[in-house]
Structure formats: structure tokens, C-alpha cells
Amino acid sequence: MKQHYINKLKSSLQFHFQWNASRLKFLTNFITSIIISSTIRLNRIALFINTEAKSESNYRRIQNFFQKFKIDYEEYARFVISHLPEKQSFYLVMDRTNWKFGKSDINILMLGIIYKKMCLPLYWIPLNKGGSSSTHERKEVLETAIKMLGKQRIKALLADREFIGVNWFRYLIEEQIEFHIRIPKHVKSGSLLEKNRKTVTELFRHFKENVTVDRRKQVKILGYNLYVSCMRTKKDYCIVVSNKDNLNSLEKYQLRWTIENMFGAFKTRGFNFEDTHMTALEKIKKLIVIVSIVYIWCVLIGLWYNETVPIKLMTLGRKRKSIFRYGFNYLTAFIKKLLDGNIHNDFEFNEVIKILSCT
């Protein structure tokens, strides 16, 4: 009976990944091990991935997977898109996450897609350097999303101050991709003549604090006529530019925080991704695929379970748990029951499998 349920779980992946039976079994076991252990450290996962084999043997199998198996990243992107409503458009958000292991810089450029105020990882590339990404690297990531999703289904691109530049803005404008990108407060606006230019904050310094201001007329920023919105606080300015319009531009930009929450789930609030001892970029790229599948499962289950049993609220109205954590806790208990052969509610089990497989 236990094997029956595990096979059902494997079948939920089989709909999306055209891997052979052995690889699908490995993927299923790897995913359940991440959920049970709450880590992506391979030596820990080796203790759970196949309890009938020695951990040393499991560890060698894991290493063999990351060394030799080739993953189709577009196949993964199709897996993500299959869980989204058809003919609906979405915001994309671009950001970087990085950490150090020893002397090695681990630097990932990530593009996520926002669904029900949750960011799902869509495509990414490891950067073979520290620091910011180039226009070429950003285009590679975004063009993959355009290929897989279709330009007509992209509402807009959201990004922080790092993702500006003359060539980058030119590309987005020429491709007619709407963007809402925050710019640093020291960026100059106005004429191309240096003596006639002034910092963009000068446009808003006379307005009150904590008030959203949308300039109706376009302003020349980095050589392009862009719409500008701003909110000034005591400490800083939040200035967002757009090539289409600035209707609710700041509200749209705020959705960028969904990718920060996703990175938090990958790291200290979920899978402790920074604990990995991997430094080979291609291996890290593969590992992100598996962690992303687990994360998406947690989000989908969290959204579903929250509709059935709403997350309790704290005194000030905030949820006690995030949607990710709600789904993660549910899946952890669910997988434990599955591995112990204690599934007694077939209706619940089938509902979970239906959500995970998107059938």
C-alpha cells in the first residue's frame, strides 16, 4: 500500500518531466527527503532518500545525478506554466541572490512569475562572478520567459535599482515590455546637457512625506522619456520609472517583494539553501530545479489548504504563517504519513495529488 501512494506521487511528476522511471523515482525520493529534512545538504538527504540502502550508497547516487544527468530547463519552465491559469497575464520579477562558500561567490540571477501574490521561480542562470548582472545576462533570462510564456502574457517586468542601464532600457522599450523599475535617487533627469540636468529627487522634494506622486508628463531618464512615480519618506526616496504609464506604478513595484519572500523560503525560512557545499555552477543550477519544484508544491498546497482552513490571524490582522510555511508544514506531515503507510483518507490524498500534478 505504501508503494502505491509513492507511485502516485511519482506519477504527479511524470506528467511534466519526460525522465526514465529510475530518474523519476530518484526525483520523487529527493523531493520527499528535502521536505522531511528541511535542508538541501546532500549528506543529510542521503540518510532519507532510500532507507533500504546505506547512506554512502545514496550519497554516491546523488553525486552521480548532479555530475551526469542533463536537465531540460525549458521542461521545468513548462511545469511552472502548466500550474497557472491559461490565457491570463502575469507580472515577472527579476532579482539576484548571492552568498559565499569559502572563497567562492555563488551568484544567481533569477526571474520569477507572480501568481496570487506568490513568486514562483521560472528561469535563472548562475553568474560566474560576484556583483551585478549584465544586459546580456538579463536578456538571456527574460527571452527564455518570453519564449515559454509568450510576450502577450507578460503584464510587466518589476525590478529593483540594480536593474537599470541605457542598453537595458533600450531593449525593454524596443521589445515593448512594460516595466516598473526602481531607480537610485542620484540618477540625473532632464536635458542631455550636463549643466541642465538635476537629480531626479529634485522633482519631488516639495511634496509631503509618505504621499504617492505620479508625474503625468514623461521625464527624460538615461536618455529615454519615462513616467516617474515617487514616495518620499524621512529616510529615503522610492522612485519608480515606467515606459508605459505610471498608474499605480508604486503598487505594482511593491509586488517585487514576493521574490524576496521566495528567496527567504529557499534560505533560512525553509530549505537552508546556503548550507549547500556545492560551488560548481551547473550543479547549483540543477539543484535549484529540484528545490523550486518543492517550493512550488508548498505554495500550491498552502493556497489550497488556506481556502479550506484559513490561516489564523494575529492581533494586528497579519497571518500567523506565510502561504509557503502553511503548505510546507502540511506537506511535511503528509509525506511522513505517506512514508509510514498511514494514509487513511484517500479523498484527501487524491486531492493533494491532483493539485501537485495539475490534472
Side-chain angles (χ1 to χ4, degrees), residues 127-240:
L127 303 178
N128 192 19
K129 60 183 180 182
S132 302
S133 57
S134 66
T135 296
H136 174 76
E137 291 160 340
R138 298 168 194 171
K139 285 171 63 177
E140 178 185 344
V141 170
L142 186 55
E143 285 173 357
T144 299
I146 293 171
K147 176 183 176 182
M148 303 305 300
L149 188 64
K151 194 180 294 185
Q152 73 281 0
R153 297 185 68 189
I154 299 174
K155 280 186 180 179
L157 175 70
L158 314 175
D160 204 8
R161 288 166 286 193
E162 173 184 326
F163 297 92
I164 66 170
V166 174
N167 294 332
W168 178 232
F169 280 0
R170 180 191 301 124
Y171 166 75
L172 294 174
I173 292 168
E174 288 177 352
E175 292 295 320
Q176 298 183 329
I177 297 171
E178 181 178 336
F179 61 81
H180 301 272
I181 297 177
R182 187 177 180 182
I183 61 173
K185 61 184 179 183
H186 60 73
V187 168
K188 296 290 182 68
S189 65
S191 169
L192 293 176
L193 296 175
E194 182 66 32
K195 65 178 182 179
N196 295 331
R197 298 169 70 194
K198 53 188 176 182
T199 59
V200 70
T201 54
E202 290 295 313
L203 301 172
F204 302 100
R205 64 186 179 89
H206 298 298
F207 291 94
K208 293 181 179 180
E209 293 178 357
N210 302 317
V211 174
T212 298
V213 180
D214 301 317
R215 285 187 63 92
R216 294 184 179 181
K217 292 184 178 181
Q218 292 178 316
V219 177
K220 194 172 287 293
I221 305 284
L222 297 180
Y224 299 101
N225 292 322
L226 302 174
Y227 294 97
V228 186
S229 298
C230 176
M231 178 179 285
R232 182 166 69 93
T233 65
K234 286 184 178 181
K235 295 183 178 181
D236 203 1
Y237 288 80
C238 181
I239 304 170
V240 176

Side-chain angles (χ1 to χ4, degrees), residues 292-308:
S292 295
I293 294 171
V294 181
Y295 170 79
I296 289 170
W297 276 10
C298 292
V299 168
L300 294 175
I301 293 299
L303 290 168
W304 164 73
Y305 194 46
N306 185 50
E307 291 179 358
T308 308

Side-chain angles (χ1 to χ4, degrees), residues 85 88 90 114-119 258 299 303 307 323:
Q88 187 173 322
F90 302 91
I114 299 175
Y115 172 61
K116 294 187 177 181
K117 296 185 178 181
M118 299 294 295
C119 182
T258 58
V299 168
L303 290 168
E307 291 179 358
I323 288 292

